[in-house]
Amino acid sequence: MKRLAGKSALITGGAAGIGKACALLFCTEGAAVTLVDTDAQALELTVAAIRAQVPSAKLTHFVANVADKELADAAVRHTVETHATLDILVNNAAMRNYSPASEATLEEWQTITAINLFGATNYCRAALPHLRLSGSGAIVNVSSCYAVTGRKGMGLYDATKAAQLALTRTLAHEEAPHGVRVNAVCPGATLTDFQLAKAKAGAKSVEQLMTERQDTSLLRRWAMPEEVAYPVLWLASGEASFMTGTTVMVDGGLHIM
């Protein structure tokens, strides 16, 4: 039996990186999947790539900015109309900001909060009525290792990711009576499409990029997106049926360095 057979999942930020890896893995494990992203072209390419690898995949996509509450409602409606149910929500969409916290403007705070925090709450609010009906609903919030360790230069991003962990704990309390589990994963440095594109823009080779994370994990390397997707899959599946309110560190040991 596939781990997600008969389940329906919605994954935000699903066109690339960790979201894309989750989508492929979920489809492989039998889930019907809806991908949400702002990049329509990337969504179409991802859907085509997954269908090429998993011909039986039940896959649809929806173009939306997660900050838009009405589009969150529409994405959930699209999921239920297409797949009949919604059992799993993965809040993966995120944006970055590199301003020092002491210099960041109110507009910068508002912009990143709209995506990283309100984006997650928009989809939780829209999805929860259906997750409650599921009988085994699950939310997995993709936070960051830096939500618990801290660093300089990305205070806005890290603060919103820490807020996601607080949201995870609160929803775990509130939704337990409804049978919905809520957990979070905190990835470390992950070699996503974003990181590869950033390196290319800076005229940096993949070989150079691969040497840069030797001091940010005990394993002395980047994570691959699928190495984060597997813990997300586990938390979403019935194998983690007694897990809620938990933060799973997927950071190669950075949090204990």
Side-chain angles (χ1 to χ4, degrees):
M1 175 69 72
K2 294 183 176 182
R3 286 190 249 187
L4 299 183
K7 301 291 186 180
S8 167
L10 187 156
I11 302 171
T12 68
I18 292 169
K20 179 180 177 180
C22 288
L24 175 58
L25 190 55
F26 278 33
C27 287
T28 301
E29 291 292 335
V33 176
T34 300
L35 299 181
V36 175
D37 205 286
T38 57
D39 190 331
Q41 183 178 14
L43 273 175
E44 292 177 2
L45 291 172
T46 293
V47 168
I50 292 173
R51 285 180 174 152
Q53 294 177 74
V54 188
S56 62
K58 298 176 182 177
L59 193 59
T60 187
H61 62 284
F62 192 92
V63 179
N65 184 324
V66 295
D68 189 313
K69 182 176 73 68
E70 284 70 29
L71 286 180
D73 293 333
V76 168
R77 282 196 305 270
H78 174 74
T79 300
V80 175
E81 289 169 0
T82 304
H83 301 309
T85 63
L86 178 56
D87 307 283
I88 299 162
L89 170 65
V90 179
N91 283 311
N92 172 67
M95 70 165 289
R96 294 166 179 261
N97 179 290
Y98 300 95
S99 296
S102 59
E103 300 174 12
T105 66
L106 176 59
E107 182 180 6
E108 286 178 296
W109 277 105
Q110 291 172 331
T111 299
I112 197 168
T113 302
I115 301 294
N116 292 4
L117 180 57
F118 297 156
T121 61
N122 284 340
Y123 278 78
C124 287
R125 179 193 49 76
L128 274 168
H130 303 282
L131 298 176
R132 291 167 180 170
L133 289 173
S134 166
S136 57
I139 297 173
V140 183
N141 294 318
V142 180
S143 178
S144 168
C145 63
Y146 293 106
V148 299
T149 59
R151 57 183 162 172
K152 64 181 180 181
M154 288 190 70
L156 280 68
Y157 178 86
D158 296 349
T160 55
K161 289 298 183 176
Q164 286 183 345
L165 299 184
L167 175 66
T168 298
R169 293 188 293 269
T170 297
L171 285 176
H173 277 284
E174 293 179 353
E175 295 305 317
H178 303 290
V180 179
R181 297 181 300 105
V182 189
N183 293 288
V185 297
C186 287
T190 306
L191 196 61
T192 61
D193 305 300
F194 172 84
Q195 297 292 352
L196 291 170
K198 183 179 175 184
K200 184 178 180 180
K204 186 183 298 180
S205 69
V206 174
E207 290 73 19
Q208 288 177 289
L209 185 66
M210 295 298 285
T211 67
E212 290 185 350
R213 292 295 181 169
Q214 295 187 12
D215 59 349
T216 57
S217 82
L218 292 177
L219 301 180
R220 298 178 62 80
R221 64 174 177 83
W222 294 82
M224 300 306 291
E226 57 268 24
E227 292 181 292
V228 180
Y230 272 104
V232 174
L233 167 68
W234 182 70
L235 288 172
S237 77
E239 294 176 2
S241 57
F242 203 58
M243 298 280 289
T244 195
T246 296
T247 296
V248 176
M249 304 303 297
V250 192
D251 66 349
L254 174 63
H255 66 287
I256 63 169
M257 290 175 68

